[in-house]
Amino acid sequence: SNKSMKSDRNTNVGKKFVHVQNPYLDLMDEDILYHFALGTKTHNLPVMFGDVKFVCVGGSSNRMKAFALRMHKELGCEGDGEEMKDICAGTDRFCMYKTGPVLSISHGMGVPSISVMLHELIKLLYHAQCCDVTIFRIGTSGGIGIEPGSVVITDTAVDSFFKPRFEQVIMDSIVTRSTELDRDLAEELFTCSKDFPHFPTLIGHTMCTDDFYEGQGRLDGALCSYSREKKLDYLKRAYKAGVRNIEMECTVFAAICGRCGIKAGVVCVTLLNRLEGDQITTPHDVLVEYQQRPQLLIATFIKQQLGLC
Ligand code: DUR
């Protein structure tokens, strides 16, 4: 059915299908998406997910449930959303909620975690024959030289050397992949952010590191093998290179989505200004409000795209 649908040129003209880059996948008789507790034989993926147009991913499962509930309300779906269930309830690795054409999924912290999730998510979208999908990562980050609570829309995802690349260790070799994101999407999101003058939004480079502490030059980890001066020098060089925030997932997110034909955007709120400190001292209620900012922007953008506002 997969193949007959794709050969139907009349109905599929101009559609951009989610694709995989693995010749072995179509030879498999069954594909088990282990970390989602879903599979091609146990679940009818085209029926469950075929209409997905927007995917929103973020680190925490509570936040992604909150985003799904928000979308549920914004899209005017029936009920209060309390009956909305975790599609990945069979596993506690990730959570997943669907409201109409919007899928909300958690990815945990760091490159290895989001990478495992993205492999299975993209296979899911492929098996479900999804087309014209846009994916967003909404997250938290540490800001550099900008007011805490600012929202950064990523134009370029860079590594710890400020380079727009993702180095993937594949067995015993290193493969470098580009981390290009959709420029137009970033601009469109920025335009949308003008609806929210109560928080600053900017476009900038986002740096992805493999660690929250030493990897980001913090002085408050269990290990710290450098001086305060070295740390500040590094962060200032990052700023000069155009980096406005630091997180732990954007490069692999951009690299994988780009290769599979999915338009991708990254929107993160900054919890602190790293030039001022390392500890997140902001009160809990303020942090909760900060974390809603990327959600608000993306929910509004999706509604606009669906012609609902
Ligand atoms: N994060 C950082 N650095 C910060 C704040 C947030 O990496 O200073 C992101 C990435 C990771 C999680 O997923 O949030 C760690 O708290």
Side-chain angles (χ1 to χ4, degrees):
S1 68
N2 209 341
K3 282 174 188 111
S4 66
M5 186 168 170
K6 275 176 200 168
S7 64
D8 187 350
R9 291 172 187 276
N10 291 324
T11 55
N12 292 330
V13 227
K15 286 185 183 168
K16 196 174 171 197
F17 282 89
V18 172
H19 54 262
V20 291
Q21 301 233 2
N22 175 3
Y24 294 101
L25 207 65
D26 284 339
L27 307 174
M28 286 162 53
D29 159 58
E30 178 178 16
D31 187 12
I32 293 168
L33 307 174
Y34 169 68
H35 303 88
F36 288 163
L38 296 172
T40 52
K41 282 207 169 158
T42 46
H43 299 81
N44 189 337
L45 300 178
V47 166
M48 289 174 76
F49 300 103
D51 63 339
V52 169
K53 295 294 173 204
F54 298 96
V55 180
C56 200
V57 306
S60 116
S61 41
N62 281 329
R63 185 153 37 81
M64 296 325 288
K65 181 172 187 183
F67 178 77
L69 282 168
R70 178 192 292 269
M71 278 321 313
H72 182 92
K73 287 187 194 117
E74 301 266 359
L75 298 182
C77 299
E78 273 172 47
D80 58 5
E82 286 311 311
E83 68 290 340
M84 194 164 49
K85 61 178 197 321
D86 180 2
I87 299 167
C88 297
T91 170
D92 58 5
R93 295 294 185 185
F94 304 113
C95 72
M96 183 189 292
Y97 299 90
K98 185 177 179 297
T99 37
V102 184
L103 202 57
S104 177
I105 314 166
S106 67
H107 60 59
M109 280 194 291
V111 165
S113 181
I114 194 174
S115 161
V116 170
M117 191 284 283
L118 288 173
H119 276 277
E120 294 183 17
L121 168 63
I122 291 167
K123 291 197 296 171
L124 179 153
L125 298 173
Y126 170 73
H127 292 311
Q129 294 153 23
C130 294
C131 65
D132 303 321
V133 174
T134 303
I135 185 167
F136 303 101
R137 162 168 148 69
I138 52 170
T140 57
S141 62
I144 307 181
I146 59 177
E147 191 190 321
S150 301
V151 169
V152 179
I153 299 167
T154 307
D155 57 1
T156 310
V158 301
D159 67 7
S160 298
F161 304 89
F162 321 137
K163 298 257 166 58
R165 65 181 180 195
F166 173 63
E167 293 194 294
Q168 170 84 61
V169 178
I170 297 180
M171 294 178 285
D172 53 357
S173 58
I174 298 172
V175 172
T176 304
R177 289 177 169 161
S178 90
T179 57
E180 224 165 300
L181 288 163
D182 195 288
R183 288 274 166 152
D184 296 336
L185 181 60
E187 289 293 342
E188 286 169 47
L189 288 169
F190 186 64
T191 303
C192 185
S193 75
K194 296 189 175 127
D195 289 359
F196 307 103
H198 68 287
F199 58 81
T201 302
L202 52 119
I203 295 188
H205 298 355
T206 299
M207 179 162 76
C208 179
T209 69
D210 275 342
D211 174 44
F212 182 81
Y213 289 98
E214 287 189 289
Q216 299 183 7
R218 279 188 156 81
L219 303 174
D220 63 341
L223 305 175
C224 183
S225 52
Y226 43 83
S227 66
R228 179 185 306 277
E229 291 66 41
K230 260 249 187 271
K231 162 204 161 172
L232 283 172
D233 171 68
Y234 178 65
L235 293 179
K236 285 176 183 164
R237 282 189 288 120
Y239 186 89
K240 270 200 178 150
V243 175
R244 293 295 176 272
N245 64 337
I246 315 174
E247 44 83 283
M248 298 173 61
E249 295 86 11
C250 66
T251 51
V252 73
F253 174 80
I256 296 184
C257 296
R259 286 170 67 84
C260 295
I262 309 175
K263 203 194 255 197
V266 177
V267 177
C268 295
V269 70
T270 60
L271 304 182
L272 77 169
N273 177 2
R274 291 297 317 288
L275 298 178
E276 311 269 292
D278 298 328
Q279 296 243 309
I280 295 159
T281 52
T282 308
H284 177 75
D285 56 324
V286 177
L287 289 176
V288 169
E289 195 274 315
Y290 282 0
Q291 294 188 34
Q292 293 181 13
R293 295 177 175 185
Q295 293 186 38
L296 198 58
L297 181 59
I298 297 303
T300 305
F301 180 80
I302 292 176
K303 263 175 39 183
Q304 281 177 7
Q305 294 291 302
L306 293 173
L308 296 172
C309 63

